[in-house]
Amino acid sequence: MKILVTGAAGFIGFHLVHALCSNGESVFGIDNINDYYPVSLKYARLAESGIAEEEIVQSHIVKSSKYLNYHFCRIDICDKPKIDELFSREKFDIVINLAAQAGVRYSIDNPHAYIESNIVGFLNILEACRINEVKHLVYASSSSVYGGNTKVPFSETDRTDNQVSIYAATKKSNELMANVYSKLYGLPTTGLRFFTVYGPWGRPDMSPFLFIDAIFHNRPIKVFNNGNMLRDFTYIDDIIESIVRIIKISPYKEIPSALYNIGNQAPICLMEYIECIEHAIGKKAQKEFLPMQLGDVYQTYADSSAIASVTGFTPSTLLQDGINRTVKWFYTYNNANDKTMRELNKV
């Protein structure tokens, strides 16, 4: 089975590549390595996968020195000719699309980047899958599609027409587009609504990295909505296990389009979350309390029973355990990558 992972230098993509390669799958990764956050972290993730920075040239295929079954190429999913050429040449069985312009708050100021990557880029992936008869397209959606919903926990059958950010709107658009391709062309598609993913090698624009880094360097942390927020924090290993299991399941031909939540089903108050980080670091945070940010929602809370019913797996990592592992990684990475950390501290 030959698997394409887009966004392979990203947080989730990096971990997924490791899992699939360790399972003996033939994996091809692509990423545009954009500078939404410092590319040094992305190159560091690639290096961990056996892809050396100096070997990465636009559209040049690099063979991993760590995994014999892994190849990487720097390609943007918005580059339709390159995507078409790649699919035609490589003949992928399964495509896992994790490439996207991420970040809810960034989408408020830079909406065009989201339309280009998350809409146009996703359309290129859909078309390439259709033309090359890919057996299954799995793609990243987001808990943000639930927007301002007040009914909890969020279920896949709930209405999702009340998004509060362009990022969320593009993810809902992906779901609609995939559903159309499934109905028109019989392309099996599965959308995964991720809930607040955290863990080692995480994005530096997300709260786990921001809070750990700030506390570690004696800087105040920004606590939005005065701490009155709930998040369903989901550890990266649970996300990866869910994806690995879902791609092993053949989509039902009579219902080729599916959507699943992947969340820990245990929303945590923001202040309790901060206490977990303080406990792991052994230091109290300096807190700067601020109002709710544009595009944010009060709570996220997943009902993950649907994906559990088809995979037999439910995310269950306790927040303190996940935070402890994340802090341990941060210390190791901070000590080993002084230049990268200086760049990240400018984010």
Side-chain angles (χ1 to χ4, degrees):
M1 187 164 61
K2 194 169 189 178
I3 302 174
L4 171 67
V5 177
T6 75
F11 174 33
I12 299 175
F14 158 75
H15 284 278
L16 181 60
V17 165
H18 277 271
L20 293 173
C21 288
S22 297
N23 288 346
E25 305 290 359
S26 176
V27 181
F28 199 111
I30 64 172
D31 201 293
N32 67 354
I33 316 180
N34 69 24
D35 60 357
Y36 168 60
Y37 55 82
V39 297
S40 50
L41 178 58
K42 298 180 181 181
Y43 282 122
R45 292 186 188 125
L46 288 169
E48 282 288 306
S49 307
I51 306 296
E53 179 179 351
E54 58 270 18
E55 294 184 32
I56 300 173
V57 180
Q58 197 76 32
S59 302
H60 172 68
I61 298 174
V62 181
K63 185 174 182 179
S64 169
S65 61
K66 183 174 183 178
Y67 299 112
L68 297 178
N69 49 341
Y70 180 44
H71 293 79
F72 175 83
C73 187
R74 183 174 183 175
I75 296 177
D76 192 327
I77 61 171
C78 295
D79 190 335
K80 187 177 185 302
K82 291 287 175 57
I83 289 296
D84 290 345
E85 177 187 4
L86 175 71
F87 273 71
S88 177
R89 182 181 69 243
E90 299 295 335
K91 305 299 181 185
F92 302 113
D93 297 300
I94 293 174
V95 174
I96 305 172
N97 185 60
L98 302 174
Q101 178 57 59
V104 170
R105 291 168 188 157
Y106 185 70
S107 72
I108 303 297
D109 299 321
N110 299 274
H112 290 91
Y114 290 77
I115 300 302
E116 181 69 16
S117 180
N118 300 6
I119 302 296
V120 177
F122 188 61
L123 177 61
N124 291 340
I125 294 295
L126 283 168
E127 272 289 276
C129 287
R130 175 184 70 84
I131 292 168
N132 293 278
E133 299 183 336
V134 167
K135 295 182 177 68
H136 191 186
L137 167 62
V138 179
Y139 63 95
S141 187
S142 167
S143 63
S144 65
V145 300
Y146 292 107
N149 284 13
T150 56
K151 171 192 166 292
V152 292
F154 298 156
S155 170
E156 294 89 347
T157 58
D158 292 342
R159 290 183 62 175
T160 51
D161 57 359
N162 190 28
Q163 287 79 45
V164 295
S165 70
I166 286 293
Y167 170 74
T170 62
K171 286 301 183 179
K172 178 59 182 177
S173 297
N174 287 172
E175 295 179 359
L176 296 172
M177 294 162 70
N179 186 59
V180 167
Y181 268 71
S182 292
K183 288 185 175 179
L184 284 181
Y185 309 115
L187 171 65
T189 65
T190 300
L192 303 176
R193 293 172 175 172
F194 300 139
F195 281 69
T196 316
V197 188
Y198 75 101
W201 295 97
R203 283 177 17 217
D205 63 314
M206 296 187 71
S207 63
F209 198 112
L210 289 170
F211 286 1
I212 294 169
D213 184 52
I215 297 171
F216 183 71
H217 291 99
N218 299 307
R219 298 194 309 270
I221 63 173
K222 295 179 179 179
V223 183
F224 293 106
N225 204 38
N226 297 306
N228 185 26
M229 299 171 77
L230 292 165
R231 288 292 181 271
D232 199 345
F233 294 98
T234 312
Y235 190 61
I236 183 63
D237 289 2
D238 290 339
I239 293 288
I240 299 305
E241 181 65 22
S242 298
I243 299 174
V244 169
R245 291 191 182 210
I246 206 73
I247 64 175
K248 293 179 181 178
I249 298 171
S250 298
Y252 298 107
K253 289 297 182 182
E254 63 272 20
I255 311 175
S257 178
L259 287 169
Y260 297 108
N261 292 334
I262 306 182
N264 213 46
Q265 304 187 105
I268 301 292
C269 174
L270 182 57
M271 297 308 295
E272 182 181 345
Y273 162 64
I274 293 170
E275 288 174 3
C276 287
I277 297 176
E278 292 174 328
H279 178 77
I281 296 175
K283 185 192 297 185
K284 285 290 185 181
Q286 304 171 45
K287 303 175 184 71
E288 180 184 357
F289 292 96
L290 298 167
M292 182 78 87
Q293 290 278 283
L294 283 175
D296 266 355
V297 295
Y298 164 65
Q299 66 180 333
T300 62
Y301 182 0
D303 174 354
S304 297
S305 59
I307 194 168
S309 69
V310 297
T311 64
F313 176 77
T314 302
S316 60
T317 301
L318 297 176
L319 181 62
Q320 189 65 69
D321 292 342
I323 289 295
N324 289 346
R325 295 173 206 166
T326 306
V327 169
K328 182 179 179 181
W329 166 80
F330 182 89
Y331 282 167
T332 302
Y333 188 76
N334 183 73
N335 292 333
N337 298 272
D338 290 339
K339 176 178 180 293
T340 298
M341 292 309 299
R342 285 196 298 272
E343 292 179 359
L344 292 174
N345 285 331
K346 297 175 184 176
V347 175

